[in-house]
Amino acid sequence: MTLSIRPDLTSADQVLLSLAPKEQQNVTEAEMMQAVRTLLIGLGEDPDREGLKDTPKRVMKALQFLTKGYDESLDDLLNGAVFTEDASEMVLVRDIDIFSSCEHHILPIIGRAHVAYIPNGKVIGLSKIARICEMYARRLQVQERLTMQIADALLDLLKPQGVAVVIEATHMCMVMRGVQKPGSWTVTSAMRGVFAEDARTREEFMNLIRHNVNFH
């Protein structure tokens, strides 16, 4: 991949500044609700009619809830629930419900996550694995990134022998619009450490999560 640099940037400092993340702009709830009103008008609706009068506020609140993962951190989420333990066998939490939002269309991604790790002197509270999945899912996402974020978070927190994450999900952007293929589902995986290096360990994990997929 070739990185294209604007010709007007003549120094290293200018280039680095141009590549830095833009500072998040503050937007009020009133401005968010006005944006929803504009969308309703653009769709040919009357946002002042009875059924839609409170819709801008409801949509704003719904989007805030669906993306609440942006306001959460691993430190706050864990609350000290990492423990020293002489364990070295696979720990697996499977069938964790996932509800996320596609960043391309802001439509639902609905599925399940299966998460395993092999400890290396530290274990994590089991409920925290589900909470890590929830935190990253409650953001605008693509499934590939979500899978890697969960795996890398556990790898960084526990320094385990290995981490494995598989997510199976159906995407409403494929079901409700576009290609319109109900029943289609997507599988992504992220293997770290021994799960990537040892085929037998990886196969054990895959056998433990094998089941018939049904999102209906």
Side-chain angles (χ1 to χ4, degrees):
M1 180 178 71
T2 301
L3 181 62
S4 177
I5 300 298
R6 287 163 37 200
D8 58 309
L9 301 178
T10 57
S11 72
D13 288 341
Q14 287 176 317
V15 171
L16 289 173
L17 186 61
S18 74
L19 297 176
K22 300 295 187 294
E23 184 177 346
Q24 185 175 2
Q25 297 181 7
N26 291 323
V27 177
T28 66
E29 291 189 347
E31 289 172 323
M32 293 175 69
M33 289 188 286
Q34 182 57 49
V36 179
R37 281 182 57 88
T38 301
L39 286 172
L40 291 172
I41 294 169
L43 294 172
E45 269 289 358
D46 174 12
D48 293 317
R49 71 175 175 84
E50 183 181 9
L52 293 177
K53 191 178 298 181
D54 292 326
T55 294
K57 183 176 181 179
R58 294 191 190 103
V59 171
M60 177 198 67
K61 293 295 184 184
L63 287 173
Q64 287 175 335
F65 176 79
L66 293 173
T67 59
K68 64 187 180 73
Y70 288 121
D71 298 321
E72 298 174 340
S73 70
L74 285 173
D75 288 340
D76 293 338
L77 182 151
L78 288 174
N79 195 26
V82 175
F83 311 101
T84 300
E85 192 67 43
D86 185 19
S88 59
E89 299 297 329
M90 187 188 305
V91 178
L92 166 64
V93 181
R94 55 169 283 176
D95 296 321
I96 301 169
D97 286 332
I98 289 289
F99 301 98
S100 192
S101 300
C102 160
E103 69 178 30
H104 301 134
H105 306 97
I106 316 185
L107 287 173
I109 300 171
I110 303 170
R112 302 187 186 98
H114 313 291
V115 182
Y117 72 97
I118 297 179
N120 188 25
K122 292 186 181 298
V123 298
I124 189 172
L126 295 177
S127 69
K128 302 303 182 183
I129 294 176
R131 291 187 183 278
I132 290 171
C133 294
E134 173 82 0
M135 183 187 78
Y136 286 115
R138 294 298 188 182
R139 302 177 181 186
L140 299 181
Q141 281 288 10
V142 295
Q143 186 174 328
E144 298 88 339
R145 182 198 306 135
L146 174 59
T147 309
M148 292 188 293
Q149 285 176 330
I150 295 168
D152 291 337
L154 283 171
L155 193 69
D156 185 58
L157 288 168
L158 300 177
K159 304 295 189 293
Q161 298 179 56
V163 178
V165 178
V166 167
I167 294 180
E168 305 164 301
T170 185
H171 293 240
M172 290 301 107
C173 58
M174 286 185 63
V175 173
M176 299 172 63
R177 59 164 300 285
V179 71
Q180 298 182 61
K181 294 299 179 184
S184 63
W185 51 283
T186 301
V187 180
T188 49
S189 68
M191 303 290 165
R192 305 287 187 264
V194 293
F195 288 100
E197 299 159 3
D198 188 333
R200 291 178 301 175
T201 303
R202 185 168 59 251
E203 183 63 22
E204 179 185 358
F205 167 71
M206 299 303 290
N207 284 334
L208 288 170
I209 68 171
R210 189 164 288 131
H211 64 291
N212 293 324
V213 176
N214 180 15
F215 295 116
H216 304 293

